[in-house]
């Protein structure tokens, strides 16, 4: 009996092995084909929704270098922006890219670079060199004002700009400060910390409160961030790359205290002039002179408005600080990007008992990551929010909104209107202080 079994095994093992390998091959091919089909469907979908054309910053994949390993697909934290199609990585929904750059870091073949704009669709940006210096010698731009969003990028760029700005300072120049940093968001904080480490005479000025855009995030907002390389602190990692607004601000405040950061809040930068070797900077608290200036002002200073009569009513607002202030209200949120979708999520929490309408201009969400889309669609299923696509506000009234949906005018009861239509880039202002604005047609990101 045993030697019969042994005989069967020893003579037929190769058949079993072959069978197993063939099944594995068939399973693998089927799996690849089904992934391919999904990717193809998503690509067609993106073309139909006009999400296939990158809007601003996005990865560019060189198909001649791509080995088809898919490392980039797995690396992107925003969801399915890149997928494998015909064994090559392809951008599926580039319009969702916010510039994490994780795909670029993950690619073992150096097949990816981050670029601004495309050959056919230019993107306007202030002209800066690899050290974040503008065409005006001694004037730097770092953080979101330079075209790249995200806290981590702002911290990195503020650091690099300040490292360069603090080099070659000329002694004997009658300026109050060696370096003046404008804006106390992540870029400004990071730049200020470098200045403190280098023991330069510096000042950070901020028109509002320390913290930048993060200060205006909704209470308890979950902020997503890969490790930050904060000057003085070193690499700072958050659990699962997530941190609450409050924890992040508390870290900021701790670092500010440790570094004894020279910071003047509620001091607004108004204008500047270069006079010889120094900048004369006009602020709401008087004129400040400095050898070098780092602009870390972000882009949220001027939110894009709807341009409608009655927009100045107190019920119309452009950010959400404390969702708990709004209970049992009729609320409309304009915006299909992450900011609008997150605002609707906070306001539609069941405990608040609000009636929430999310008004999305196009037929689908716009630059909104998969996680936020899943959450809001789930809330819609539970009846917590009503998502209105192809809808825009036509008129604002004290207790109502007139909205246009697929060409039809609908009257909505309304107590509060939240508008998240992006921000106006302060290019006219930058030009007025001498900074050149250039249009990028698919040029790689220099640094950051
Ligand atoms: C709703 C929302 C959610 C986001 N979520 C995330 C996230 O989860 N993860 C992530 O990494 N990024 C996120 N971001 C993006 C991130 O907040 C920004 O990219 C980052 O804050 C940019 O940093 P910054 O220092 O360049 O500018 P900011 O943080 O905008 O700081 C600029 C500072 O400059 C000040 N300032 C402007 N003009 C003047 C002036 N004239 N005088 C003096 N001061 C001035 C402003 O008051 C502000 O404090 C989000 C953004 C928004 C709007
Ligand atoms: S990681 Fe690089 S080689 Fe691998 S699929 Fe992505 S682009 Fe291609």
């Amino acid at each position: 009996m045993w030697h019969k079994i042994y005989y069967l095994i020893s003579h037929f093992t190769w058949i079993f092995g072959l069978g197993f390998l063939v099944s594995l091959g068939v399973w693998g091919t089927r799996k690849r084909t089904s992934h391919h089909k999904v990717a193809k469907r998503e690509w067609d979908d993106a073309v139909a929704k006009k999400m296939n054309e990158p809007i601003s910053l996005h990865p560019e994949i060189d198909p001649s270098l791509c080995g088809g390993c898919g490392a980039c697909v797995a690396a992107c934290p925003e969801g399915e922006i890149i997928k494998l199609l015909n064994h090559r990585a392809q951008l599926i929904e580039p319009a969702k890219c916010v510039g994490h750059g994780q795909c670029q870091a993950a690619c073992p073949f150096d097949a990816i670079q981050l670029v601004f704009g495309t050959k056919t669709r230019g993107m306007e940006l202030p002209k800066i060199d690899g050290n974040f210096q503008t065409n005006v010698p001694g004037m730097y731009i770092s953080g979101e004002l330079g075209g790249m969003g995200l806290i981590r990028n702002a911290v990195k760029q503020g650091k690099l700009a300040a490292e360069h700005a603090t080099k070659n300072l000329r002694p004997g120049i009658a300026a109050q400060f060696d370096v003046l940093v404008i804006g106390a968001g992540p870029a400004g904080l990071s730049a200020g910390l470098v200045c403190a480490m280098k023991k330069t005479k510096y000042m950070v000025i901020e028109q509002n409160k320390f913290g930048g855009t993060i200060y205006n995030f909704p209470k308890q907002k979950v902020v997503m961030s890969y490790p930050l390389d904060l000057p003085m602190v070193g690499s700072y990692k958050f659990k699962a790359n997530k941190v609450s607004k409050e924890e992040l601000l508390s870290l900021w405040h701790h670092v500010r205290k440790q570094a004894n950061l020279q910071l003047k809040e509620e001091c607004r930068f108004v204008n500047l002039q270069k006079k010889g070797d120094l900048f004369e900077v006009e602020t709401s608290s008087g004129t400040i002179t400095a050898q070098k200036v780092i602009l870390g002002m972000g882009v949220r200073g001027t939110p894009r408005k709807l341009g409608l009569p009655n927009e100045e009513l107190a019920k119309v607002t452009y950010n959400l600080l404390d969702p708990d202030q709004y209970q049992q209200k009729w609320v409309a949120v304009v915006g299909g990007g992450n900011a609008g979708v997150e605002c609707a999520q906070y306001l539609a929490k069941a405990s608040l008992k609000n009636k929430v309408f999310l008004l999305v201009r196009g037929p689908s969400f716009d630059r909104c990551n998969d996680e936020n889309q899943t959450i809001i669609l789930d809330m819609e299923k539970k009846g917590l929010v009503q998502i209105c696509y192809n809808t825009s506000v036509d008129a604002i009234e004290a207790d109502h909104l007139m909205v246009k949906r697929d060409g039809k005018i609908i009257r909505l009861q309304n107590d509060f209107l939240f508008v998240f239509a992006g921000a106006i880039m302060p290019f006219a202002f930058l030009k007025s202080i001498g900074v050149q604005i250039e249009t990028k047609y698919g040029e790689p990101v220099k640094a950051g």
Side-chain angles (χ1 to χ4, degrees):
M1 159 83 176
W2 282 112
H3 66 267
K4 255 191 187 165
I5 292 173
Y6 174 76
Y7 175 83
L8 278 171
I9 289 175
S10 58
H11 281 77
F12 293 102
T13 303
W14 66 273
I15 297 181
F16 293 138
L18 193 65
F20 176 71
L21 285 176
V22 169
S23 320
L24 202 65
V26 171
W27 176 76
T29 311
R30 276 205 181 146
K31 199 166 174 202
R32 267 199 305 278
T33 314
S34 92
H35 279 179
H36 175 87
K37 276 188 186 155
V38 172
K40 176 80 177 60
R41 206 173 42 239
E42 283 171 355
W43 169 249
D44 292 342
D45 217 33
V47 173
K49 290 180 194 160
K50 298 197 175 82
M51 293 285 284
N52 61 319
E53 176 83 2
I55 296 171
S56 54
L57 184 66
H58 64 279
E60 190 176 71
I61 303 152
D62 182 341
S64 67
L65 293 177
C66 175
C69 69
C72 52
V73 180
C76 181
E78 291 298 312
E80 302 183 328
I81 292 174
I82 305 181
K83 278 211 159 176
L84 290 187
L85 253 178
N86 299 323
H87 313 292
R88 291 285 177 274
Q90 182 173 322
L91 287 180
I92 298 289
E93 287 194 278
K96 279 197 214 161
C97 176
V98 292
H100 285 287
Q102 295 296 313
C103 53
Q104 186 180 24
C107 179
F109 300 99
D110 275 344
I112 297 185
Q113 54 179 354
L114 286 189
V115 299
F116 288 118
T118 66
K119 285 193 180 64
T120 51
R121 192 170 175 169
M123 181 184 176
E124 282 203 315
L125 285 176
K127 186 172 179 178
I128 43 176
D129 65 16
N131 297 308
F132 299 94
Q133 188 165 209
T134 66
N135 56 294
V136 181
M139 191 198 295
Y140 296 75
I141 287 183
S142 64
E144 206 160 352
L145 185 59
M148 277 181 93
L150 300 183
I151 295 159
R152 182 169 184 254
N153 291 334
V155 165
K156 193 167 172 185
Q157 294 183 4
K159 177 172 179 259
L160 293 172
E163 276 170 356
H164 194 261
T166 48
K167 275 184 204 154
N168 310 319
L169 286 166
R170 297 185 40 196
I173 289 188
Q176 284 166 283
F177 298 106
D178 295 329
V179 183
L180 179 70
V181 180
I182 298 170
L189 166 65
S190 176
L193 291 174
V194 170
C195 293
M197 277 166 75
K198 303 265 177 185
K199 303 202 173 358
T200 51
K201 269 195 300 173
Y202 76 96
M203 174 63 75
V204 182
I205 62 166
E206 164 58 50
Q207 63 179 359
N208 297 322
K209 294 274 177 226
F210 175 63
T213 294
I214 299 160
Y215 181 81
N216 290 317
F217 283 170
K219 204 166 82 175
Q220 291 302 326
K221 171 180 155 57
V222 177
V223 182
M224 209 181 113
S225 184
Y226 283 85
L228 302 174
D229 191 14
L230 258 186
M232 281 196 184
V233 178
S235 179
Y236 202 90
K237 238 178 145 172
F238 305 107
K239 205 170 162 198
N241 298 317
K242 287 183 177 163
V243 58
S244 73
K245 162 195 170 171
E246 286 71 17
E247 279 172 284
L248 189 56
L249 282 181
S250 128
L251 167 70
W252 267 200
H253 280 286
H254 175 72
V255 174
R256 170 188 171 180
K257 209 169 156 198
Q258 293 284 99
N260 188 23
L261 193 78
Q262 299 303 296
L263 170 71
K264 196 171 168 64
E265 288 175 308
E266 288 171 20
C267 174
R268 182 173 166 76
F269 160 54
V270 180
N271 207 344
L272 66 68
Q273 279 188 334
K274 189 154 191 193
K275 290 208 169 151
D277 286 328
L278 58 81
F279 290 97
E280 263 186 22
V281 183
E282 193 190 323
T283 76
S284 52
S285 317
T287 303
I288 300 174
T289 54
Q291 270 197 57
K292 309 263 177 98
V293 172
I294 300 177
L295 306 178
M297 294 145 58
V299 295
R300 313 278 159 188
T302 321
R304 196 180 298 278
K305 298 196 171 176
L306 299 175
L308 292 171
N310 286 338
E311 204 167 340
E312 68 291 345
L313 286 177
K315 74 171 195 171
V316 186
T317 172
Y318 302 88
N319 69 351
L320 170 69
L321 271 178
D322 185 358
D324 295 343
Q325 276 181 348
Y326 306 90
Q327 302 203 21
Q328 299 184 45
K329 301 285 181 218
W330 287 73
V331 182
V333 180
V334 171
N338 282 318
V341 172
E342 283 181 16
C343 172
Q345 288 167 10
Y346 286 112
L347 292 166
K349 266 195 315 192
S351 58
L352 299 180
K353 300 190 175 125
N354 290 318
K355 185 90 184 123
V356 180
F357 295 88
L358 175 59
L359 313 181
V360 180
R361 199 177 39 171
S364 60
F365 294 107
D366 174 29
R367 301 194 84 196
C368 177
N369 65 38
D370 290 352
E371 189 178 338
N372 275 333
Q373 290 193 34
T374 309
I375 296 173
I376 200 80
L377 291 173
D378 190 48
M379 292 179 101
E380 186 187 36
K381 265 191 216 144
K382 291 180 180 147
L384 295 169
V385 60
Q386 193 170 323
I387 306 172
C388 311
Y389 300 100
N390 297 316
T391 305
S392 56
V393 180
D394 203 54
I396 302 166
E397 296 169 3
D399 305 321
H400 289 89
L401 287 183
M402 304 304 281
V403 299
K404 199 186 255 179
R405 186 176 189 180
D406 293 318
K408 270 193 214 144
I409 299 284
I410 302 167
R411 193 163 190 252
L412 281 185
Q413 190 170 335
N414 179 258
D415 298 312
F416 290 98
L417 173 62
F418 291 84
V419 180
F420 292 91
I424 296 173
M425 296 292 273
F427 290 155
F429 174 69
L430 290 179
K431 277 187 196 164
S432 77
I433 57 171
V435 177
Q436 281 175 18
I437 304 297
E438 56 183 8
T439 309
K440 307 268 190 185
Y441 291 97
E443 282 153 62
V445 171
K446 285 183 186 119

